[in-house]
Amino acid sequence: MDFDTVIINGLIVTASEILPEGLQIGIKDGKIASIGRKLLRSDSSARVIDAAGGYVTPGGIDSHVHIAQDNSPTGDTWETATRSAVAGGTTTVLAFASQKRHEESVLPAVKAYHEKANGQAHCDYGFHLIVSNVTTDILNNELPAVLSSEGITSVKLYMTYEPLKLTDKDLLHVMLACRKLGMTTMIHAENSDMISLVIEGLERNNRTEPFYHAIARPRIAEDEASYRAISLAELVDAPILIVHMSSEKAVQHVRDAQTRLLPIHAETCPHYLFLLSDELRSCHGHDQFHGARNICAPPLRHSISDLEALWRGIANGSFTVWSSDHAPHTYDHPLGKKIGLVNGIPRFSKVPNGVPGLETRLPLLFSQTTACLPSDKARLSLPQFVQLTAANAAKLYGLADRKGAITIGFDADITIWYPQGDPKGQVEIQQKHLHHGVDFTPFEGIKVQNWPRYTILRGEVVWDRDSAGIAGTKGFGQYLKRNKGQIVVGRLGQTAEGMSEGERDFWM
Ligand code: DUC
Ligand code: ZN
Ligand code: ZN
């Protein structure tokens, strides 16, 4: 076969191993057509991409990004967010179409979100649904409809935030509906009442600067809600993923559940493993509002031991996915300041939560692998990197028939890194080099050991760091209708603790 493109001289990494040297990847019509030796015929007209001894990994799948949501008027557009995705080695994003509380249907959110994204994306994309107003019609009719007609097979639910949070009963209703349909339920787990009580007290005492955000959302609020979410899921035997986990004890709850083979998945994000709550303070002569840039929820935690605990969770397999939770807001913007400053005084509780991180997600983690650090210092292996950044998300969210692996017949979504130790790959992260549409990165000044050299989406080079930079065009990214997800850890059919075999049949 003559290929359109052949990738040579790379070291191919799968979710389980690094393949032997000398294997080439032949690409035809956007798909991986062959993996083998000597694929290039002497008369071939194929484009040759020389990976020059660099690692070759599946294109990243970032399964948790917020793009152009209504609550982020100063954030990214679909064009700028997905541009930054490909510049950081990510070829697929899953973003949130969010139902408004006053709406009785989820369909307007899906329609509006399509309108925003259509023709704008540099990478492939799909939608999760955020359900904030649970009705019988949504449970019985709309969820099945969006699943079959839109390929939306996952739902995010909130246990906190006034306009979004659900009661435990509604969480259970949605988990049950999703279980029946084979959809994946994602949960934002923080105890809303604990947080609002602390905020009231802080505000009474005029402690409203950004740093107090980290005091207002203590780990115990995440621990309690995570345990509760797991218990709710266990009652109805539903698989869930707890998003953006930041607390050791909460992760321990997940691990205990996984040990009992419950299908409980956990996600964490770069900011919880690289940054501490000190980032919320205003220092070095910046104004009092400066720390507001790093307000996210759950908040950045206080100590190195918090970070270390999460790194252990990465190493021991507690986490299923590593997502950016890209939630961009422009810091130096009249609108943002208008919301976050009350009479000129910063008020953390008014600042929209979330930090940008789509572009930096892969390099930050890659730098912690055995490709960049000696094995006694590395946090994870390269196959673990592939699991966390692409393969597991593809399985969990119903893309495992086409994405997340370098396999014959799959989309040719590929990230090529610089050879180990190549100084060209070593980068100090700086806002001025990034491609998102907001005005800061929380990772400013962090040095990474390798940066994606090429990003390839369905066989087309969309990022070429050494020449064009962004090499693709907006609109090349396609909407992905997804299949039902697969459970990556645990299994269904578990009897809830304290419930005898068959008891569920009386009421479920
Ligand atoms: N939840 C998210 O998922 N992202 C940003 C902020 C939040 O609360
Ligand atoms: Zn959240
Ligand atoms: Zn999020």
Side-chain angles (χ1 to χ4, degrees):
M1 179 194 294
D2 199 12
F3 301 104
D4 300 326
T5 303
V6 178
I7 301 172
I8 62 169
N9 295 329
L11 280 166
I12 302 168
V13 187
T14 73
S16 56
E17 61 186 331
I18 301 169
L19 298 181
E21 281 181 40
L23 290 175
Q24 303 175 341
I25 302 173
I27 299 170
K28 185 82 185 161
D29 299 329
K31 303 273 184 198
I32 297 173
S34 185
I35 301 171
R37 297 180 192 277
K38 301 192 179 142
L39 296 185
L40 270 178
R41 289 197 325 228
S42 55
D43 62 344
S44 171
S45 57
R47 172 184 178 168
V48 177
I49 298 177
D50 188 352
Y55 291 105
V56 178
T57 58
I61 299 178
D62 194 338
S63 53
H64 185 154
V65 302
H66 302 264
I67 304 176
Q69 283 185 216
D70 289 346
N71 60 354
S72 176
T74 68
D76 270 314
T77 63
W78 272 86
E79 179 186 358
T80 57
T82 54
R83 185 177 73 190
S84 76
V86 297
T90 288
T91 47
T92 295
V93 295
L94 298 180
F96 296 93
S98 187
Q99 179 197 20
K100 296 192 180 72
R101 181 48 76 76
H102 66 267
E103 291 169 347
E104 303 248 310
S105 162
V106 295
L107 304 181
V110 175
K111 182 166 178 283
Y113 217 45
H114 269 304
E115 280 162 10
K116 286 185 191 181
N118 194 11
Q120 300 297 309
H122 282 260
C123 66
D124 287 354
Y125 62 98
F127 300 158
H128 309 289
L129 208 55
I130 291 175
V131 179
S132 60
N133 180 10
V134 181
T135 68
T136 337
D137 192 42
I138 291 173
L139 295 174
N140 295 341
N141 301 316
E142 291 195 355
L143 290 184
V146 293
L147 183 144
S148 63
S149 64
E150 299 282 344
I152 295 180
T153 58
S154 43
V155 170
K156 181 179 177 191
L157 309 176
Y158 285 81
M159 298 172 82
T160 190
Y161 294 134
E162 209 35 74
L164 296 167
K165 73 174 181 186
L166 301 184
T167 61
D168 288 353
K169 183 117 172 256
D170 277 343
L171 292 168
L172 285 164
H173 277 309
V174 182
M175 284 182 196
L176 259 175
C178 286
R179 183 196 192 284
K180 284 188 189 133
L181 292 166
M183 295 174 82
T184 308
T185 309
M186 309 159 77
I187 310 274
H188 177 134
E190 285 185 295
N191 181 306
S192 181
D193 286 339
M194 283 185 185
I195 292 168
S196 71
L197 180 99
V198 181
I199 292 179
E200 279 166 25
L202 288 168
E203 294 196 336
R204 232 180 8 256
N205 295 322
N206 298 320
R207 301 200 191 277
T208 62
E209 287 165 28
F211 179 74
Y212 291 104
H213 173 79
I215 309 286
R217 307 182 89 94
R219 284 180 308 190
I220 195 166
E222 183 181 337
D223 301 341
E224 185 282 329
S226 299
Y227 185 74
R228 182 156 38 103
I230 293 166
S231 306
L232 299 174
E234 184 177 355
L235 178 76
V236 294
D237 190 25
I240 59 166
L241 171 118
I242 304 182
V243 293
H244 48 50
M245 298 196 77
S246 71
S247 158
E248 177 177 16
K249 195 160 175 187
V251 177
Q252 191 59 50
H253 291 319
V254 168
R255 205 162 164 74
D256 291 346
Q258 291 171 347
T259 305
R260 294 196 290 121
L261 293 186
L262 299 179
I264 306 294
H265 301 85
E267 170 195 86
T268 193
C269 317
H271 36 290
Y272 298 120
L273 284 97
F274 284 90
L275 305 176
L276 292 171
S277 58
D278 273 346
E279 303 286 339
L280 293 163
R281 295 185 196 276
S282 296
C283 52
H284 308 308
H286 290 297
D287 64 29
Q288 281 194 317
F289 192 62
H290 191 75
R293 303 175 315 160
N294 295 314
I295 284 183
C296 56
L300 301 179
R301 298 301 180 190
H302 297 312
S303 76
I304 294 280
S305 64
D306 293 308
L307 307 189
E308 287 300 327
L310 296 176
W311 280 119
R312 282 196 297 278
I314 291 282
N316 69 23
S318 302
F319 292 109
T320 304
V321 288
W322 168 264
S323 307
S324 67
D325 193 6
H326 183 75
H329 309 282
T330 301
Y331 161 67
D332 197 6
H333 191 286
L335 200 52
K337 291 210 163 164
K338 198 167 132 212
I339 299 167
L341 289 169
V342 178
N343 299 328
I345 298 171
R347 176 152 320 174
F348 73 82
S349 62
K350 304 283 180 222
V351 175
N353 291 345
V355 292
L358 230 175
E359 189 166 345
T360 44
R361 176 185 75 115
L362 291 188
L364 283 166
L365 192 64
F366 194 88
S367 289
Q368 300 295 320
T369 66
T370 46
C372 298
L373 293 173
S375 53
D376 60 327
K377 300 269 185 323
R379 309 288 195 168
L380 70 165
S381 67
L382 279 168
Q384 282 177 305
F385 171 85
V386 168
Q387 291 162 23
L388 285 163
T389 59
N392 286 350
K395 290 181 189 145
L396 191 63
Y397 297 116
L399 290 169
D401 58 341
R402 65 202 112 145
K403 294 195 182 283
I406 297 178
T407 301
I408 292 170
F410 273 39
D411 287 354
D413 294 354
I414 291 167
T415 304
I416 301 178
W417 302 81
Y418 288 90
Q420 201 162 344
D422 187 336
K424 276 203 282 183
Q426 294 165 8
V427 171
E428 178 179 318
I429 296 176
Q430 293 180 13
Q431 161 65 15
K432 65 180 182 205
H433 296 142
L434 299 180
H435 298 77
H436 56 205
V438 294
D439 61 353
F440 76 100
T441 166
F443 305 106
E444 184 81 28
I446 293 181
K447 294 190 176 69
V448 294
Q449 294 306 312
N450 209 327
W451 192 276
R453 179 176 180 185
Y454 298 103
T455 307
I456 299 167
L457 171 62
R458 284 180 276 104
E460 296 299 322
V461 174
V462 290
W463 167 250
D464 177 347
R465 186 159 175 268
D466 296 329
S467 60
I470 298 288
T473 46
K474 78 170 183 179
F476 182 61
Q478 291 178 351
Y479 176 71
L480 299 167
K481 283 190 179 178
R482 293 179 287 125
N483 301 320
K484 295 176 184 181
Q486 295 161 26
I487 290 165
V488 181
V489 297
R491 60 175 187 230
L492 280 179
Q494 303 297 305
T495 305
E497 199 135 274
M499 197 180 275
S500 66
E501 193 99 2
E503 257 183 53
R504 246 194 221 109
D505 297 343
F506 293 134
W507 56 272
M508 218 160 111

